[in-house]
Every structure is written in C-alpha cells, then in structure tokens.
Amino acid sequence: MTRTIVESATKTVIIGFDEPFCVIGERINPTGRKLLAAELEAGNYSTIERDALAQVAAGANILDINAGVVYNSNPNPNETEPPLMRSIVELVQGLVDVPLCIDSSVPDALEAGLEAANGRPLLNSVTGEEERLEAILPLVKKYNVPVVAISNDDTGISEDPDVRFAVAKRIVERAADFGIPAHDIVVDPLVMPIGAMATAGQQVFSLVRRLRDELGVNTTCGASNISFGLPNRHGINNAFLPMAMGAGMTSAIMNPVALPISQKKIAEKKEAIEAAGIILPESMEDEAFVALFGMGSTKPLAGSEMQAIRAANLLTDNDPHGAAWIAANKPAGEAGGRAGRRRRRG
Amino acid sequence: MTRTIVESATKTVIIGFDEPFCVIGERINPTGRKLLAAELEAGNYSTIERDALAQVAAGANILDINAGVVYNSNPNPNETEPPLMRSIVELVQGLVDVPLCIDSSVPDALEAGLEAANGRPLLNSVTGEEERLEAILPLVKKYNVPVVAISNDDTGISEDPDVRFAVAKRIVERAADFGIPAHDIVVDPLVMPIGAMATAGQQVFSLVRRLRDELGVNTTCGASNISFGLPNRHGINNAFLPMAMGAGMTSAIMNPVALPISQKKIAEKKEAIEAAGIILPESMEDEAFVALFGMGSTKPLAGSEMQAIRAANLLTDNDPHGAAWIAANKPAGEAGGRAGRRRRRG
C-alpha cells in the first residue's frame, strides 16, 4: 500500500490510498499578486500569517509555500526568492503545526526551503524536463523528501493522456536511478480546463486510475484548473474533487477556505436588502451580517470544496465511524438555534 | 452502447452511458405522508400538481408516480391504488411533458398506470423475488416498457455486493426468457446507509462498474439512502451523486428540488434576524425573504443535488460545449445585480 510520509516537527501526514484525502493549501503564493509582493518587499508578512491560520482552520493538511515574488528593488528571483522562502517557512512553522510543501521554480529557493523546514516537507516540483530532473532529483535524494512530479517534459504539456502517463513513468524511473522510491513521488497528471477540453475530466479520472494501478504512486493536482473560465467554478470543483477521489486521487493543491466573501458583495447585498424595505442597525459587523444573510461563513459551507472532500472521505470509507463528518456537521437546527439565542439582545 | 428509451406523448428521454444523467423525480409519493393521503382521499390534488411542476422546473427528466395510499375509508391498497394511480397519471401528464415512471408494489396499480400513461413509461419495479418476477415481467413484455430491477430476492437484501450482483444477473436472465432485452432493464444495486455500513459507497461504485461492464445495463438508485441518519444529508448526497456518476451510474430516483425551506425554519430565521436589531417590513413574502437571506430558492443552489449532477455531466463529457452548465449558472454578480435592481422600490 503506497504511503507518502510528510512531516512537520510534530505532525505526520500520510498521503495514501487508504487515507483521508490530503488537502495542500495553495494560498501562500505571491505569484501574480502585486499587492502581496509589495507587502513582502516592505517586510509585512500579515497576509501570509492570515492565510496560514485560515487554511489550517479550514482543514488544510499541508501548506504549500511559494515565494515567487518580483521585487521593485530587485527583479531577479534567483536572488530574492531563496531568502524570502526561508523567512516564510520559518514564520509559518512558528504559527501552525502542519507539514509544509516547498514550492518554487528556483532550485536555490527549494534548497533554502528544505534547509529551513522542520521534519519532512514535500518538494514541489520536478517535471520530466531534462534540466529540471537533473536539478531537482539530487535535492530530493539529499534531503530524503517526497516530491510532486508534474507530467510535462521538454516538449511541453501534451493533450494526449498517454503521453502524460509516459512522462510520469519516466520521472518515476529516473527517480529510481537516484534511489528515490515510487512511494515518495506524488504525480500531478495535469488537469486541463473542462471549458477548453471536454474530455479533461475523463482524462484525469483514467490517468489517476492508471497511475495508481500501474505505477503505484500517489497523485495530486491543481484542482481548480478544471473550472477555469467557466461560471460558478465552485460548483464544478465540488463535483470534480469527489469524482477524482472516486477514481483514486489522494491529494490536491487547492484553496480550502470556503467561499471568501468580498466587501463588494456585502455592499451589494446591503443595498438589495435596504431596497426591500429592511432596516439594518446602524453598525453591524460583517461576520454577523454574512452569517444572518446566508452569504457564507468562515466555516465550511454546503457546497464548499472542503465539505465535498469530507463527504467523499466518508464515501470511500476513509472516515472511521464517520467521526470527521459528524464533527464538521452538527445538525443545522441545533447550530442555528444556539446562534439565534446567543445573538439575542437585552 | 446501452440505451434505455423512456417516452411521454411528446418527449424522449434516453438513459445511457453517454447521456446526461437521468433524474427521476421522487416527490409524487404519498407513502408515509398522512396529510397528502388525506388530501387525495378528499379529492384534493393540489400538492401533486405543485410537486409535478416544481420537479420539472428543477430539472427532473422523468417523474416517478407512486399512489401508495392508505385511506381512512378503505385500508386496502389493492382496491384504492389502481384508480388513484390512473387519476394521478392523467393529471400529471396533462400538466407536464416529461415521461413517467409508474411505481407501485401493487401489480394492478402498475397495470392501471401503464394503461393510462402515454408513450413508453418506465415501470418501477421488479425484484428477484419469484412471485414478483412472475407478476411483473409479463407486464413489462405486454406493454413493451423498460423496468427498474431491484437487486433483492426471496432471501431479502444481502449485505454482500456479490450476492446483489448475482440477483441482478438472474433478473436480467429471467427477463431474457420473456424476450425482454438487457437495455430495457435499469438495475438498482441498492444503496445502503453509509452511517450503518462504512463500505456502502464503495459497494455501490464497484457494483455499478460491474453492472455496466459485465451485464451492459443502465443503473439507478434511491440516492438519498446513502446519507440516512447522518447530519447534513445534502452534503453527502452532493458528493455521492458525482462519485456514482464517475463509476458509471446513469440515473437516480431522487428529489431534484433544491433544499426546501420549512415555515419553521423561516420563523426561526426571522427571530434571529430581529434579535440582531434588523427591522423587517411589516409584510414580506416568503420567497423574497428566503432569497435575500440566502436560505435557498426554487433555483438550484450552490450545493444542491441538481448542481452536483450538472457539474458531473460536464465532467463526464455529457454536456456538449458546457451549454447546460453555462445556462444554469449565470455569473453570480450579474444575476445578483439584476435581482437587486428589480427589487428596488419607488
């Protein structure tokens, strides 16, 4: 039975065929987020702290740490990423106790993260590209860590799932040459947007089954890619994750935090409410407003990705006695009643 | 490629491996509903009418018609069910154009429904019980209709999925003796509650694959059984349906209407809202209240079973060009904005 062991100083996470699905939180990543990059350049780590705490509270089993910044003062990531990776790793493992996933395209940043991380982090990632194999596999061996293997190579990302399977197989074989066992390789078969490729779902489901049956490896994916470009992405993601789990996928890199509500949406809702003749109190906290008006909450919602995963854990017999499901889902009436009474005034 | 053809006077529904999932609406069923039985005894069919319209509006492809009443004036269903079945079938096919599923434990009620129904209804159901096989298969042959085959027999419902598969196989063989082809048999492999049997999900997924691969039959189930006795049943159902579809299930008998809101829940919500210092207008229609306070709506919600099914249709490449998904999911901002403007007063 394939088991990929990932550890922090105090916590062990097993990615495996008979384990609950492993959720790797993707939020700590400044790539393409100019505001966050500017904060980090100014030494402000408050967004990172919030993202770390919120993802663990939502149920992330592992946190991905990506330090992909472009600073105004220095546009060279080979110089800026390694020290930033070290800082973020140290910060995050001081805040939360889950294992980390060290994620970079810069090999020196990967090594900086591996040096700074406690326990046995997951490395993200190697590909089938020759240069990448030569750079990353020695790191995997040296630090004795598991690694995410993305199934593209020097020819790019193939639309043919057989080619992507062959790339994954070659990475597993090359890793074996370095003495790295298959159970330390977590293959990402690459999820295409279903809006661009109608067979994208079926490709993933059949690739995951083959990777599991023929290579005996664990699998992961950037789950939200599946819904790129389509309306109601959560609705698609919420069905995709259980289906991928049913096919045997054992982890995903994703946002575990339930439907974040924007200030704009809250303002729009207040406008609609007042237009309906409802009078709101002069001051009302966003959290109370959002809870009362059913716009979401910091807890997993009906329809959230984490809820879909918890239900699929139950349905694949990876939630002994349904304990995790029951703990996450108190009967609605009970919770609502209590909340109502607690909110009563005077 | 297995195709089960079900028809009304004007509409054809194909249950098949390469078709969108077939949703059989289960709401028209007075079994265990004393109030509805009393209404029907008094000749009041308004609940039936509402249930028919609401289920089709929510996306049901077929409506199940069950006339299982116990009247105060007559406790014998062999006498009361056949005429009631005929009345309901005639009423419903005057209201909506979807095909029907004639559902009864009383053979005379089945025949009354078959006589009254236009087109080619689905018959629900035969089992592996000897008496039932002898009573139902001749009806299936005589009326040339497809039939739901439930995989229990004279020994009851086996907890062993191999036994349930064997029962299904025997029904298919017995049907063949009557000249009924396998593509007119829709097997229900029987869904056990996951709260009572931890392997219930995996049993269904593997049975569905075997029924499809080895017997070449379409499949159905009473989908909500999976979550019986557990909190947040919708959350479990919403993951179960995509997983079952991923395994190859082609239809389900279920409630397609999104999270119905009870008057009790509305009253509780109003109390909580007023406790928070919000002043509601003196009169406010339930529909507007429920929409504003995010308690649900008559449209599919994020997290509804119909949404999960539509997403899984997309993910199994049974929604050409994603047209059905896109039609059902206008971007939330757009819809919200319009609703807000429409509700504005003066």
Side-chain angles (χ1 to χ4, degrees), chain B residues 26 40 45 159 167 202 250 293 335:
Chain B
E26 72 183 4
L40 294 171
Y45 289 76
E159 291 198 355
V167 172
Q202 294 186 314
T250 47
F293 285 84

Side-chain angles (χ1 to χ4, degrees), chain A residues 227-241:
Chain A
S227 59
F228 180 81
L230 287 173
N232 192 359
R233 295 187 61 179
H234 286 288
I236 298 172
N237 300 346
N238 294 346
F240 173 73
L241 284 161

Side-chain angles (χ1 to χ4, degrees), chain A residues 91-122:
Chain A
L91 173 74
V92 170
Q93 64 193 4
L95 277 175
V96 295
D97 62 359
V98 299
L100 304 182
C101 175
I102 307 299
D103 178 8
S104 181
S105 54
V106 176
D108 285 352
L110 291 177
E111 183 141 26
L114 288 170
E115 280 171 11
N118 298 325
R120 188 172 202 249
L122 179 60

Side-chain angles (χ1 to χ4, degrees), chain B residues 57-332:
Chain B
N61 306 105
I62 292 175
L63 293 188
D64 188 87
I65 310 287
N66 183 306
V69 281
V70 178
Y71 284 165
N72 289 316
S73 58
N74 186 346
N76 183 354
N78 293 311
E79 293 174 9
T80 56
E81 270 201 45
L84 181 62
M85 173 65 85
R86 183 183 302 272
S87 301
I88 298 180
V89 165
E90 287 169 355
L91 172 73
V92 170
Q93 63 193 3
L95 277 176
V96 295
D97 62 359
V98 300
L100 304 182
C101 175
I102 308 298
D103 178 9
S104 181
S105 55
V106 176
D108 285 352
L110 290 177
E111 184 141 25
L114 288 171
E115 281 171 9
N118 298 325
R120 188 170 203 252
L122 179 61
L123 199 65
N124 188 6
S125 56
V126 69
T127 69
E129 295 161 296
E130 197 50 43
E131 195 185 336
R132 194 81 184 161
L133 287 164
E134 294 294 334
I136 305 303
L137 292 179
L139 278 182
V140 172
K141 181 64 186 171
K142 176 177 171 192
Y143 288 89
N144 180 28
V145 290
V147 65
V148 173
I150 303 183
S151 49
N152 65 303
D153 66 9
D154 290 301
T155 66
I157 298 175
S158 173
E159 291 198 355
D160 179 346
D162 290 339
V163 172
R164 301 215 297 283
F165 180 83
V167 172
K169 188 158 184 262
R170 200 164 59 242
I171 300 173
V172 170
E173 288 163 357
R174 287 290 293 274
D177 295 341
F178 281 82
I180 301 162
H183 67 244
D184 271 340
I185 302 188
V186 181
V187 172
D188 180 344
L190 285 164
V191 172
M192 308 291 181
I194 189 91
M197 186 192 284
T199 56
Q202 294 186 314
Q203 281 197 2
V204 173
F205 308 143
S206 83
L207 267 171
V208 165
R209 269 190 219 104
R210 285 190 69 190
L211 289 164
R212 179 176 175 143
D213 295 345
E214 299 178 35
L215 300 188
V217 292
N218 278 308
T219 43
T220 196
C221 70
S224 66
N225 282 358
I226 193 73
S227 58
F228 180 81
L230 287 174
N232 192 358
R233 295 186 61 178
H234 285 289
I236 297 172
N237 300 347
N238 294 345
F240 173 73
L241 284 160
M243 294 175 89
M245 290 166 72
M249 189 169 281
T250 47
S251 72
I253 302 173
M254 53 175 275
N255 180 4
V257 179
L259 312 180
I261 309 296
S262 70
Q263 288 299 316
K264 181 160 166 271
K265 286 216 170 129
I266 292 178
E268 283 171 0
K269 187 85 173 183
K270 284 188 173 166
E271 197 190 329
I273 279 163
E274 288 170 350
I278 296 169
I279 301 165
L280 294 170
E282 284 203 10
S283 80
M284 186 167 193
E285 283 184 17
D286 282 349
E287 197 189 321
F289 177 82
V290 159
L292 278 170
F293 285 84
M295 296 179 71
S297 81
T298 51
K299 290 196 179 172
L301 298 172
S304 77
E305 279 84 343
M306 282 307 297
Q307 171 164 288
I309 287 170
R310 288 199 180 96
N313 280 337
L314 178 68
L315 292 166
T316 52
D317 195 10
N318 287 318
D319 178 4
H321 311 293
W325 179 260
I326 290 167
N329 293 280
K330 307 290 181 211

